[in-house]
Amino acid sequence: ANLALQEGRLAAAQTELNNAQIQLDEKQMELDRVQAMYDGAMREKQALLDDAQACRRKMNNATALIEGLGGEKLRWTTSSKNFQNQIINLVGNVLLATGFLSYSGPFNQEYRNLLLQLWKKEMDNSKIPYSTDLNLTAMLVDNATVSEWNLQGLPNDDLSIQNGIIVTKASRYPLLIDPQGQGKIWIKNMEKNNGLQVKSSFNLFFFYMC
């Protein structure tokens, strides 16, 4: 009788255990679904955080670019105005440059400056526009070329640089009055790789290009 009683209790407990296992399986399945939803939400959250961070970086870059362009606007406006003035003054500036190359070669620095002043006065009378702050040296040669000339032996003073411009830019062959030999040294160094030939006669040097 006791065995039968205990077997009945065991059967009831087994049934209860089975029901509990079924509930556990259902809850585990529900937990798995919720866990999957949570993992998906966390991944979406991380993606949103990454997108937000990227947007912040883009916004910061855009803000910096806008601020930089705001500063550039003033520079571009000034440059545009300067370019317009250069276009207006181009004819007069070229006229002064060609006059310098054609006629100022034989003269010293003082007389060259006097010629420029006289030319500017005539241009004012003829209402030909030109740049009042015109620097003929900067207009006719760049700093890199001047530095190369200096390395080749040309002195760095304004007169020598102007002479170098006349030698290299003028259409006519230059005659160098060169008591110290600086011009001769410079020309020989500048043209040594271009087939330069030097002929000497009565202390006069003639340069021939092959």
Side-chain angles (χ1 to χ4, degrees):
N2 188 26
L3 176 61
L5 177 63
Q6 297 302 327
E7 286 178 348
R9 290 179 178 177
L10 176 61
Q14 188 64 44
T15 301
E16 186 177 355
L17 175 61
N18 291 337
N19 292 335
Q21 186 63 46
I22 292 172
Q23 292 183 1
L24 176 62
D25 293 340
E26 292 175 352
K27 297 300 181 183
Q28 185 63 47
M29 292 174 62
E30 185 177 352
L31 177 62
D32 291 341
R33 288 195 298 271
V34 173
Q35 185 66 43
M37 293 174 60
Y38 173 77
D39 293 340
M42 291 301 295
R43 287 193 296 270
E44 184 177 359
K45 175 186 176 182
Q46 187 61 45
L48 291 173
L49 289 174
D50 294 341
D51 290 342
Q53 185 65 28
C55 287
R56 290 192 190 94
R57 288 196 300 268
K58 291 179 180 179
M59 288 177 61
N60 292 334
N61 293 337
T63 300
L65 180 60
I66 291 172
E67 292 176 352
L69 291 177
E72 287 295 310
K73 179 182 179 181
L74 179 61
R75 187 178 68 85
W76 289 338
T77 302
T78 304
S79 298
S80 177
K81 184 178 179 180
N82 291 335
F83 290 149
Q84 186 64 33
N85 292 333
Q86 290 179 10
I87 292 173
I88 295 173
N89 298 328
L90 183 60
V91 173
N93 292 344
V94 171
L95 182 59
L96 289 172
T98 52
F100 168 79
L101 289 175
S102 299
Y103 299 109
S104 65
F107 307 114
N108 59 23
Q109 187 71 68
E110 181 179 0
Y111 198 76
R112 288 179 182 179
N113 293 334
L114 178 60
L115 280 176
L116 286 175
Q117 296 304 319
L118 293 174
W119 293 338
K120 289 179 180 179
K121 184 176 179 180
E122 291 296 327
M123 292 169 66
D124 289 334
N125 294 335
S126 301
K127 294 182 170 47
I128 300 175
Y130 62 90
S131 299
T132 56
D133 58 347
L134 177 65
N135 185 334
L136 288 175
T137 300
M139 179 180 178
L140 295 172
V141 70
D142 57 85
N143 292 331
T145 301
V146 173
S147 298
E148 186 175 359
W149 287 351
N150 296 149
L151 292 175
Q152 292 164 347
L154 185 70
N156 196 31
D157 59 278
D158 292 339
L159 182 63
S160 296
I161 294 174
Q162 289 180 0
N163 291 339
I165 293 172
I166 294 171
V167 168
T168 56
K169 301 292 185 181
S171 59
R172 290 172 291 186
Y173 292 106
L175 173 63
L176 273 66
I177 308 300
D178 189 28
Q180 297 179 354
Q182 294 174 324
K184 179 182 68 175
I185 294 173
W186 168 60
I187 291 177
K188 291 172 68 174
N189 290 332
M190 180 173 59
E191 301 294 344
K192 64 181 180 181
N193 296 325
N194 296 322
L196 179 71
Q197 295 183 13
V198 181
K199 302 297 182 182
S200 176
S201 176
F202 300 105
N203 295 324
L204 295 177
F205 290 87
F206 300 91
F207 298 90
Y208 298 90
M209 296 301 297
C210 296

